[in-house]
Amino acid sequence: MKEDNIMLEIKNLKVYFPVTRGLFKTEIGEVKAVDKVSFFIRGGETLGLVGESGCGKTTLGRAIIRIVDPTDGEIIYASRNLTSNGGIKRVDICRLKDEELRIIRREISMIFQDPYSSLNPRMTVADIIGEPLKIHGIKKKERKDRIVRLLETVGLKAIHMNRYPHEFSGGQRQRIGIARALALEPRMIIADEPVSALDVSIQAQILNLLEDLQKEFNLTYLFISHNLAVVEHIGHRIAVMYLGNIVEAAESRNLYREPLHPYTEALLSSIPIPEPDYKRERILLEGGIPSPLNPPLGCRFHTRCKYAVKDCSEIEPVLEELKHGHWVACIRAKELKLQGVKIE
């Protein structure tokens, strides 16, 4: 793996939110939404980030572009716009000041989960897509031309630019959100559950659109989802997140066929396989996700894991590369034989 091919590298990232009580806002604890997370994304690939609701996926995505500020750690990004010679400059996004952060936000943009609440109902499509262009100083004539091109790129028409969000279907609204994300010609897009609020038939259209855009513009994606079946369609590599931690990361095919972490095995067992004769065990996790305000000691998954032993509640596992390109945080990973799923 060449160092200069890594576009984004996250090292021991923490995002904690203080919990306060009383009139004087006395701090009584911290919600550990993201806790010591590390991973990397290569240029031009799609990393799928999956996990149950509440595990910290969205917070992690927003921390990358500083919608929320990280508590600790590093977010190393290989920027082109911060150099004058067309080369690469590696910067820690956590420590950028206002103007440098503004430049980085031209290179990294975001598609939000809900196409209904993420578009301002009082703004026309032209205003929604043109807002980032206006903020970054693009002149009015160029803005209009670029808005038309963007609409056509995502499968809409120029006549749509003067309409309002309520005049569109959910799939069309998400296309508008994608056009907005593309407005400043980013190199990387963080897609936060971009199809979870859409009908299944429309999900496939949006996923195909994202794949086509990646090929056309050489985009890099962080694709956040709770649905492993969706991520399998688009992800080159997958990172599995549980209660603020990355518990497994691998090439997509390897993770589906040979999971190394019990949580991944449980998630995979819920994927529907369209073959009547294909038999496998459905794994039902007991209980809910523990509170990030007071996570369990040792392995955070041990309270729901059917393979847990005494050491699991005492030893905190570290994310280590057990096989080439396959990382896992489980003290029993070498001895367990877990159930994968059949994929084409």
Side-chain angles (χ1 to χ4, degrees):
M1 180 179 64
K2 294 183 178 179
E3 178 70 19
D4 58 4
N5 193 37
I6 295 178
M7 181 176 288
L8 185 78
E9 184 174 9
I10 290 178
K11 300 179 180 179
N12 295 314
L13 187 69
K14 299 179 182 179
V15 183
Y16 295 174
F17 297 106
V19 177
T20 60
R21 181 174 61 189
L23 180 63
F24 299 102
K25 304 293 183 182
T26 304
E27 186 172 324
I28 59 172
E30 292 176 315
V31 173
K32 298 178 179 179
V34 177
D35 196 17
K36 294 177 286 188
V37 164
S38 298
F39 64 85
F40 64 87
I41 307 177
R42 299 184 185 98
E45 78 169 350
T46 298
L47 176 68
L49 182 63
V50 300
E52 293 172 278
S53 297
C55 72
K57 308 184 301 295
T58 294
T59 301
L60 175 56
R62 295 186 175 205
I64 291 174
I65 54 175
R66 297 269 301 275
I67 293 178
V68 297
D69 283 327
T71 304
D72 195 12
E74 297 177 281
I75 303 172
I76 308 300
Y77 174 69
S79 172
R80 291 193 186 277
N81 289 346
L82 286 176
T83 62
S84 56
N85 58 8
I88 292 291
K89 180 179 180 181
R90 297 189 180 278
V91 295
D92 183 359
I93 294 177
C94 296
R95 286 155 182 79
L96 294 183
K97 303 301 181 183
D98 291 346
E99 184 55 33
E100 290 178 319
L101 185 59
R102 184 170 173 268
I103 293 171
I104 291 297
R105 284 173 175 164
R106 293 193 66 153
E107 298 189 52
I108 306 176
S109 61
M110 193 161 187
I111 300 169
F112 296 95
Q113 176 176 356
D114 187 355
Y116 294 90
S117 63
S118 64
L119 303 180
N120 190 329
R122 295 181 177 85
M123 295 174 69
T124 65
V125 169
D127 290 335
I128 290 169
I129 300 175
E131 187 174 30
L133 299 172
K134 185 177 181 180
I135 290 171
H136 286 268
I138 307 300
K139 294 181 180 179
K140 188 173 182 179
K141 176 64 170 67
E142 186 180 348
R143 285 206 305 269
K144 184 176 180 181
D145 293 341
R146 194 179 294 189
I147 289 166
V148 171
R149 291 199 306 271
L150 287 165
L151 286 171
E152 293 172 348
T153 298
V154 299
L156 297 174
K157 299 178 180 179
I159 59 172
H160 292 136
M161 64 189 300
N162 293 318
R163 296 182 183 176
Y164 290 86
H166 72 269
E167 300 178 67
F168 296 91
S169 67
Q172 289 174 319
R173 292 186 195 201
Q174 196 60 291
R175 289 175 187 269
I176 295 167
I178 293 170
R180 176 175 60 186
L182 292 171
L184 295 170
E185 300 177 350
R187 299 172 62 220
M188 178 178 176
I189 290 179
I190 300 167
D192 182 16
E193 302 262 15
V195 298
S196 64
L198 306 176
D199 293 340
V200 174
S201 59
I202 306 301
Q203 287 184 11
Q205 295 177 20
I206 298 299
L207 290 173
N208 290 335
L209 172 62
L210 290 173
E211 285 188 315
D212 292 342
L213 293 173
Q214 184 172 44
K215 294 173 184 175
E216 182 176 354
F217 299 111
N218 191 31
L219 294 169
T220 300
Y221 289 144
L222 173 61
F223 190 96
I224 298 169
S225 178
H226 67 276
N227 189 336
L228 268 168
V230 168
V231 175
E232 189 269 329
H233 179 80
I234 196 171
H236 299 106
R237 290 189 304 118
I238 296 174
V240 181
M241 195 167 181
Y242 182 81
L243 200 61
N245 292 160
I246 299 293
V247 297
E248 186 169 2
E251 299 290 334
S252 176
R253 184 171 293 270
N254 293 338
L255 185 134
Y256 278 79
R257 287 181 170 177
E258 298 180 17
L260 297 178
H261 196 282
Y263 180 58
T264 308
E265 179 190 42
L267 292 179
L268 290 173
S269 76
S270 67
I271 297 177
I273 303 295
E275 291 187 22
D277 298 329
Y278 183 61
K279 305 296 183 183
R280 59 184 173 147
E281 178 190 358
R282 175 68 193 276
I283 299 172
L284 298 175
L285 296 178
E286 296 183 0
I289 300 178
S291 170
L293 181 62
N294 186 27
L297 297 176
C299 173
R300 296 188 176 186
F301 185 62
H302 83 266
T303 58
R304 306 171 73 193
C305 180
K306 68 177 184 178
Y307 305 106
V309 295
K310 183 180 178 182
D311 285 346
C312 295
S313 62
E314 300 172 352
I315 301 172
E316 184 176 352
V318 296
L319 193 66
E320 58 180 346
E321 191 173 16
L322 202 61
K323 300 179 181 179
H324 178 67
H326 199 146
W327 300 73
V328 64
C330 176
I331 63 172
R332 300 196 64 198
K334 292 180 181 179
E335 61 186 271
L336 296 177
K337 295 294 182 182
L338 304 181
Q339 168 187 257
V341 295
K342 178 180 177 181
I343 59 173
E344 298 300 327

